[in-house]
Amino acid sequence: EKTNNNNNNNKQIMNRSTYNVSQLRPNDLRKCVFGTIDGSIGVLISIPYARYDILQKLEASLRKFVQGLGGLDHEEWRKFKNHTEGKPAYGFLDGDLIETFLNLTGDQQQKVANDMKIDSESLIKIVEEMNRLH
């Protein structure tokens, strides 16, 4: 039975996607810090597409498992709005949502990682690195 379980665990690990979790180099990034009239401060960071892709998948997975503040839907909250219409944000990541991954319990982090087919340790490294960039 132990051999059987180990084989199953190895199969699960082999089925996981491989992501590059190497540290980003300063040349990989472009930053823009901005302030708004209401006093908000934000950071726009241009990152390599491979890292964007991982974080976008993490964001989508987190939406399945993390309740928005006050029960609000994350996508709806971040949607561009003017007086006549609202449009989904495109090409942007919600850093606040992504950073909530670090506040999840180990079991919750594992559920998100399993949904993405990646190990939770790699996700933690990626999110911690992004957290240090701003």
Side-chain angles (χ1 to χ4, degrees), residues 20-21 23 33 49 54 80 92-93 102 108 113 115 121 133:
N20 180 359
V21 296
Q23 190 171 12
V33 178
Y49 181 78
I54 294 167
F80 165 78
F92 290 90
L93 298 169
L102 298 175
Q108 292 170 323
D115 185 57
E121 293 82 19
L133 291 176

Side-chain angles (χ1 to χ4, degrees), residues 47 51-52 55-57 59 91-96 98 130:
I47 58 176
R51 186 58 52 93
Y52 170 85
L55 292 170
Q56 188 274 330
K57 289 174 182 171
E59 184 180 56
F92 290 90
L93 298 169
D94 185 342
D96 293 332
I98 289 170
M130 296 308 297

Side-chain angles (χ1 to χ4, degrees), residues 108-126:
Q108 292 170 323
Q109 287 178 343
Q110 192 59 54
K111 284 181 185 178
V112 172
N114 289 344
D115 185 57
M116 292 180 62
K117 296 177 176 52
I118 184 174
D119 62 289
S120 60
E121 293 82 19
S122 294
L123 281 177
I124 290 169
K125 286 180 187 177
I126 291 168

Side-chain angles (χ1 to χ4, degrees), residues 67-73:
Q67 176 85 25
L69 187 63
L72 297 173
D73 177 76

Side-chain angles (χ1 to χ4, degrees), residues 2 6 9 16 25 32 37 48 50-52 59 62 69 74 79 84 103 105 115 118 120 126:
K2 286 185 179 182
N6 287 338
N9 288 340
R16 294 191 181 275
R25 301 172 309 217
C32 176
I37 196 165
R51 186 58 52 93
Y52 170 85
E59 184 180 56
L62 282 168
L69 187 63
H74 291 284
K79 186 184 283 189
T84 59
N103 298 326
T105 66
D115 185 57
I118 184 174
S120 60
I126 291 168

Side-chain angles (χ1 to χ4, degrees), residues 34-42:
F34 65 92
T36 65
I37 196 165
D38 69 355
S40 298
I41 297 174

Side-chain angles (χ1 to χ4, degrees), residues 24-34 42-49 51 91-92 130 133-134:
L24 293 173
R25 301 172 309 217
N27 292 343
D28 293 335
L29 308 170
R30 291 188 314 245
K31 293 184 193 180
C32 176
V33 178
F34 65 92
V43 179
L44 295 175
I45 302 172
S46 178
I47 58 176
Y49 181 78
R51 186 58 52 93
F92 290 90
M130 296 308 297
L133 291 176
H134 60 79

